[in-house]
Amino acid sequence: TEGADEAADAETEGADEAADAETEGADEATDAETADEPETEAEADTTESSDITVESLLSDPEVMAQFEEGVASYKEQGMSVAVEAKGNELIVALTITDSSLIQDGAAELLESGLDDAAASFEVLAGSLDQSVGADAGTCAYTVRYLDPDGNVLAERSFTAK
C-alpha cells in the first residue's frame, strides 16, 4: 500500500497544481469570450449567452490545449489524461498506467484525495461557471480515476458553492 499512498499524495498535490493551471486556462477562456461580447446594451439584447457551454468552449482547440496543459502534471505521476466535455460538465479521466501502484485500498486513498482537494475542484467549477456566463453551481468538474483496464477506481463531480 506504500505505492498507493504515494500515488494518492502525489495526486492531491497534482490536483492543486492542475487547479492553478486550469483556473488560468478558464480565466483566459473567459477573457476570450468577453472580448467578443457586444459593447452596447442594444447588441447585448440580441446575444444569447445561454448557448455557451463548457462543451462549446472546449471545442476551441486553443482552450482545450490550455486545459490539457493544466492537467499535464498528472502524466509525470504515471497517469494518462483525457479531457472531455459534455454540456456543462468537464470530465478529467486519469488512468493510472502503472498497475503496481494499484494496491489494496487504492480506491479509498484516491477517494480521500478527491475529498481533500474538493475546494480546489470547486474553484475550478466556479471558473467554468464564469466562462460560460452561468450562475454558480451550473457547471460540474468531474474527476475520474481509472485502472489500466479502464475500470473506475474513484470518481467525484464538483460544483461551485
Side-chain angles (χ1 to χ4, degrees):
T1 61
E2 185 176 312
D5 287 339
E6 291 173 7
D9 290 342
E11 289 159 17
T12 300
E13 291 170 16
D16 291 338
E17 292 170 11
D20 292 341
E22 290 176 39
T23 299
E24 290 173 16
D27 290 344
E28 290 173 14
T30 301
D31 292 344
E33 289 296 321
T34 57
D36 294 333
E37 288 181 2
E39 295 183 19
T40 67
E41 284 187 41
E43 291 177 48
D45 290 341
T46 62
T47 302
E48 293 188 29
S49 62
S50 62
D51 291 342
I52 300 171
T53 64
V54 173
E55 187 172 0
S56 67
L57 284 177
L58 290 185
S59 67
D60 179 338
E62 289 180 26
V63 175
M64 178 60 101
Q66 290 171 350
F67 277 97
E68 288 175 340
E69 183 180 310
V71 295
S73 65
Y74 288 110
K75 292 178 182 179
E76 298 167 6
Q77 300 171 25
M79 291 181 257
S80 65
V81 181
V83 178
E84 67 176 296
K86 293 181 181 176
N88 277 327
E89 179 182 23
L90 176 72
I91 303 163
V92 178
L94 304 161
T95 301
I96 300 173
T97 56
D98 182 355
S99 59
S100 69
L101 294 175
I102 304 171
Q103 304 289 324
D104 288 340
E108 291 80 11
L109 288 171
L110 292 169
E111 289 172 2
S112 176
L114 287 170
D115 291 340
D116 292 344
S120 295
F121 291 125
E122 289 167 358
V123 168
L124 289 172
S127 293
L128 293 173
D129 290 332
Q130 291 174 350
S131 294
V132 301
D135 294 332
T138 300
C139 298
Y141 188 98
T142 300
V143 180
R144 181 179 300 141
Y145 289 102
L146 306 161
D147 68 13
D149 297 323
N151 299 310
V152 176
L153 298 169
E155 180 174 1
R156 294 272 194 288
S157 290
F158 303 91
T159 57
K161 301 282 180 187

